[in-house]
Amino acid sequence: MIHPIFVTGPQRAGSRLAARIIERETGRTFVDELEYNLDIPMNSVIQAPFLLKTVIELSFVFPTAQFAFMYRDKQDIVSSLERVEWYKNIIDAPDFYSSFVDHSYTYIDQLKNELPQERWFDIQYESLVHDPLFVTDRSYFTTMQYLPDKPVGPKTWRDNGYLRTIKK
């Protein structure tokens, strides 16, 4: 049975790279988190850390979907968040990034207890290092780039409007 695969986890954990690898290995259609909508093809792989908070809803909307949870070293994620200044224009608390990563992994643990085990699988960022798409030094990469010398997205990730809709 064909079903979508949602690749999610904390921002900067490697979901774009993992989704591109799954796309290549399975022949699925890649869907970027900024292009996601409910009319996705069933053979999609969706790169969407922002959808982590809606996994339960998605598990009902797409009853055969699978969820790939990304794991990466916490300090590596924090360093990447700092490099792209993720939401730095509206949240400048020194412990925000660390708290964000901890919360994401705590929530993933909760989701694993609620979803049937056949609906999810883990991907360790380190397991991707031998793939040809893996690039060790990403310090010069833009926010959505996954290939060397092919920048995608801005250099920094500022408030994209989402937080303005929930922050009063």
Side-chain angles (χ1 to χ4, degrees), residues 96-109:
F96 170 60
Y97 295 151
S98 179
S99 295
F100 169 77
V101 175
D102 288 342
H103 170 76
S104 296
Y105 287 138
T106 298
Y107 186 57
I108 288 171
D109 289 343

Side-chain angles (χ1 to χ4, degrees), residues 106-119:
T106 298
Y107 186 57
I108 288 171
D109 289 343
Q110 181 180 347
L111 288 168
K112 288 177 171 183
N113 287 325
E114 296 176 18
L115 292 170
Q117 191 168 3
E118 66 272 6
R119 300 284 308 273

Side-chain angles (χ1 to χ4, degrees), residues 7 10-19 47 70 72 77 125 128:
V7 183
Q11 294 283 348
R12 314 306 298 171
S15 60
R16 181 171 307 279
L17 174 61
Q47 178 275 332
M70 289 300 307
R72 185 179 182 189
I77 294 174
Y125 182 80
L128 307 176

Side-chain angles (χ1 to χ4, degrees), residues 18-161:
R20 288 294 186 175
I21 292 170
I22 292 169
E23 169 198 31
R24 184 191 68 222
E25 296 294 317
T26 64
R28 290 176 178 271
T29 301
F30 176 85
V31 176
D32 183 271
E33 64 184 339
L34 299 177
E35 298 166 356
Y36 166 78
N37 63 63
L38 291 176
D39 295 325
I40 58 169
M42 289 303 281
N43 71 336
S44 296
V45 57
I46 303 93
Q47 178 275 332
F50 86 94
L51 287 176
L52 177 61
K53 58 189 159 285
T54 64
V55 165
I56 293 298
E57 293 91 332
L58 290 168
S59 74
F60 283 89
V61 172
F62 300 100
T64 60
Q66 288 191 307
F67 300 91
F69 297 118
M70 289 300 307
Y71 286 88
R72 185 179 182 189
D73 177 77
K74 177 181 172 179
Q75 190 51 53
D76 289 346
I77 294 174
V78 169
S79 294
S80 185
L81 291 167
E82 288 172 347
R83 180 180 63 79
V84 300
E85 300 177 8
W86 191 65
Y87 286 136
K88 197 65 131 181
N89 60 322
I90 55 174
I91 303 171
D92 200 18
D95 60 341
F96 170 60
Y97 295 151
S98 179
S99 295
F100 169 77
V101 175
D102 288 342
H103 170 76
S104 296
Y105 287 138
T106 298
Y107 186 57
I108 288 171
D109 289 343
Q110 181 180 347
L111 288 168
K112 288 177 171 183
N113 287 325
E114 296 176 18
L115 292 170
Q117 191 168 3
E118 66 272 6
R119 300 284 308 273
W120 59 267
F121 58 97
D122 293 338
I123 301 175
Q124 300 292 330
Y125 182 80
E126 292 76 21
S127 72
L128 307 176
V129 299
H130 299 293
D131 191 273
L133 289 178
F134 190 86
V135 175
T136 303
D137 180 12
R138 294 173 181 262
S139 61
Y140 61 91
F141 272 34
T142 57
T143 56
M144 297 185 288
Q145 184 174 349
Y146 71 99
L147 294 173
D149 303 320
K150 295 194 188 292
V152 179
K155 286 201 168 284
T156 61
W157 191 267
R158 298 302 180 122
D159 174 25
N160 63 0

